[in-house]
Amino acid sequence: MTVIDISPSVMQFLLAFIVVAPLLGAVAALLPAPPGLRGKNPDQAVLRHGVTVTGAVLIAAIVLAVGFDHDHPATMQATTDINWIPALGVRIHLGIDGISLPLLLLTALLTFLCALYSYFKLPAGPSPKAFTALVLVLESGTLATFAVLDLLLFFLAFEMVLIPMYFLIARWGGDQRRAAAWKFILYTLLGSVVMLLGLLLIGLKSGTFDMVALATDNGRGLTTSVQVIAVLAIGIGLAVKTPMWPLHSWLPDAHTAAPTVGSVLLAGVLLKMGTYGFVRILLPIAPDGMRTFAPYLAAFAVVGIVYGSLACLALARNGAKGDLKRLIAYSSVGHMGFVLLGIATMTPTGVNGALFANIAHGLITGLLFFLVGAIKDRYGTADLDTLAGATGAALYGRAPRLGALLAFTAVASLGLPGLAGFWGEMLTLFGAYSPAEGLSRPAFRTFMAIGAFGTLLTAAYMLIVVRRVCMGEHTPHSQLSPDDRTPPPAHAPQPSGATGDRPTTTPQLADIQTYEAAAWTPLAALTVLTGLWPAILLGLTDPAVQKLLAGGKS
């Protein structure tokens, strides 16, 4: 069933346009604007250009989804297959199915919302031209990663996002931005080098780099030893990008230093590229190798779940001087652990849960980073002790709508039933209860129990964050340390009658602005929609996952 019947040639054009348009838009952003489009403010003109290009890509992605045949989500649609490098057998092969379509839509949506947010709130840094161009190149590389069906093209698209994100952190980031950017690029590049070797091994041993043909072959053309080596090599590169414990240490630094939109795109989109590679490449192409490493992958996943939660609890405690952005970054380590656990089960239930958790994490954590960025702009800091304050009012008393939205997003992140975060975690735990044939049930049920314990830890630190940031502390002023007696930032409006270093009444902060509501409302609405109607995602992913795990057979 298609909502609107669109011809295959138009579908092909739409997918090609979605991948190429941001790249062309990036080039156009760096060129001098035509006289009629310069406007009174060239900086705003180039930011408006970014909104226009990302908006056009989002519209094209929505039309593509409308024209997608939802009765056959396991079939590759809107395919383009052009011979590119005959000597190596590399083809420009594009296509989407029920696995890649949600990720394509998520990428287009988040990038548009980031461009819209930046139009009104550009991070401090160099030229807006360069900022807009980098965001568009980042979008093109991410969309290409989810659309290409050739191993070498996948690698090129996978690497294409590294340089833009490096510069977004290094030039538009906050404190320690250069060190964080270098750590990000070194970790991901080293992982990618190993991944390339694994991709080349598969292509050379099988005689093709075509991902559809390799998935249909289901590893029959590769010996078990080749599959094991390939999974190890490719898995390391994908695990760094995911990020999987213990290869995660670049992520908290990158998130803490990145500008708001950089953190949104990093958490909402870039981390998904790693888990998508596990599902699209390793599960169908090297199933025997995956079966060998699945218990280890699951073990690392649940350690990441617990480790990320404990790190968040340590940052959230009173007096720890924890950074809220850093806490959300560590929470991503735990949430992506659930995605990896679902993949490691190698079952339709677990993999569907992983894909659902991917989308839920993109929506919820993307919104969390938007909110934390807005709070940091208002307070001048993301330090939890400072945000908690000493008045007992905090966000609920100073910016009630902002506080309410933060509380809503936090309970969505901890997996409250009825919101998007619930279904992914539940399905991955169900998948771990009954893993694929050949995997140890006692081991995976142990992993399930540890993962379930991780959900309790997640609820604990998220509720602590809500209590402290939204409600504040009730510490008497006389018991505060000199650092905690710091007056509110200069830009916070002072109420009448305030005297001395401390106002006599709670200073008010700007509540949610119109442009912020425009950027955040779609994410909140989709968090509710996918939580109440999970079939909107599972109806797309399940047939495609069933076919993928069955070796290309529907």
Side-chain angles (χ1 to χ4, degrees), residues 242-243 297-298 300-302 304-305 332-342:
T242 297
L297 180 63
F300 284 128
V302 296
I305 292 170
S332 290
V333 176
H335 287 304
M336 298 312 289
F338 280 102
V339 178
L340 291 173
L341 176 60

Side-chain angles (χ1 to χ4, degrees), residues 124-146:
S127 162
K129 278 192 170 189
F131 177 85
T132 301
L134 289 170
V135 169
L136 290 173
V137 172
L138 187 69
E139 180 182 31
S140 181
T142 311
L143 290 168
T145 301
F146 299 136

Side-chain angles (χ1 to χ4, degrees), residues 373-422:
I375 292 170
K376 188 173 183 179
D377 288 338
R378 287 159 169 77
Y379 278 89
T381 180
D383 176 72
L384 269 167
D385 290 338
T386 304
L387 297 179
T391 64
L395 273 184
Y396 283 159
R398 301 179 185 185
R401 287 190 291 274
L402 185 59
L405 186 56
L406 178 63
F408 162 81
T409 313
V411 297
S413 182
L414 63 84
L416 184 74
L419 298 175
F422 170 74

